[in-house]
Amino acid sequence: MRHKVGQRKLHRTTSHRLAMLNNMVTSLLEHGAIRTTVPKAKEVRPLAERIITLAKRGGLSNVRLAARTVKDRTVLQKVFSEYKERYAARPGGYTRIVRLGFRRGDAAEMALIELVDRPAKAPAAAETTEAPAEAKTEG
C-alpha cells in the first residue's frame, strides 16, 4: 500500500527528477506559466509555492534556501522583489493548474501551470511595429 508516500517518481532516476523539477520551477517563475503534463504540474506546484513563501519571509537564509532550487540569479532576484510584493497579502495558493486536454502524439494529459494574478502580456513590439506599406507591395 502507498500510505504516506510523498511524491511521484515520473519514471526517472532521483537526480534526473530533481533536476527536471528544479528547472521547471525556475521556468515557471521566470515566465509566469509553463505547459507540461498534469503529473509534472502537480509535482511542481508545492515547490514553486514554497519558493514564493520563502521570498515573502525575506532574509539571507531564505534566499540561500531558495537558491537551492532556483539556479538562475536573475529569476531569484525577481522572486525576492516582484513576487514578494505581489503576493504579500495572499496567504497561499500562488499557482493554478489548468487542464488543456490530451497531447496528440502520446495522449498524455496536458496542463498549464501558471502564477495567479499574473499581469496580462502586452503585445510584442514586432507585432505593433509593422514595415511601411510601400515596402510590402511590389512594383
Side-chain angles (χ1 to χ4, degrees):
M1 292 189 158
R2 289 183 44 91
H3 295 305
K4 294 193 176 187
V5 175
Q7 59 198 11
R8 294 167 182 84
K9 293 184 181 179
L10 301 173
H11 303 287
R12 286 164 171 81
T13 62
T14 303
S15 59
H16 183 187
R17 183 177 62 250
L18 293 177
M20 179 190 68
L21 292 174
N22 289 345
N23 288 335
M24 290 177 74
V25 169
T26 303
S27 295
L28 173 63
L29 295 174
E30 181 180 1
H31 301 293
I34 56 173
R35 185 172 181 241
T36 183
T37 60
V38 172
K40 288 180 189 173
K42 287 181 178 181
E43 285 300 310
V44 166
R45 171 183 255 172
L47 297 174
E49 297 204 0
R50 177 167 164 75
I51 298 298
I52 295 173
T53 302
L54 289 173
K56 284 175 56 176
R57 292 181 191 155
L60 180 61
S61 62
N62 289 328
V63 172
R64 288 178 175 164
L65 287 172
R68 291 182 192 175
T69 302
V70 180
K71 306 292 191 218
D72 189 356
R73 180 169 283 206
T74 57
V75 175
L76 198 61
Q77 290 171 349
K78 181 178 182 180
V79 169
F80 276 82
S81 60
E82 182 183 332
Y83 294 154
K84 178 179 182 176
E85 296 166 5
R86 186 190 302 173
Y87 298 114
R90 192 177 195 85
Y94 313 113
T95 58
R96 166 188 309 131
I97 296 176
V98 180
R99 292 172 187 253
L100 298 175
F102 296 93
R103 186 163 49 198
R104 184 174 180 152
D106 60 355
E109 189 174 10
M110 300 301 288
L112 178 77
I113 180 167
E114 62 182 351
L115 296 174
V116 177
D117 299 337
R118 74 180 169 130
K121 195 170 191 178
E127 294 175 0
T128 58
T129 310
E130 294 184 11
E134 55 269 2
K136 290 182 178 179
T137 60
E138 293 181 19

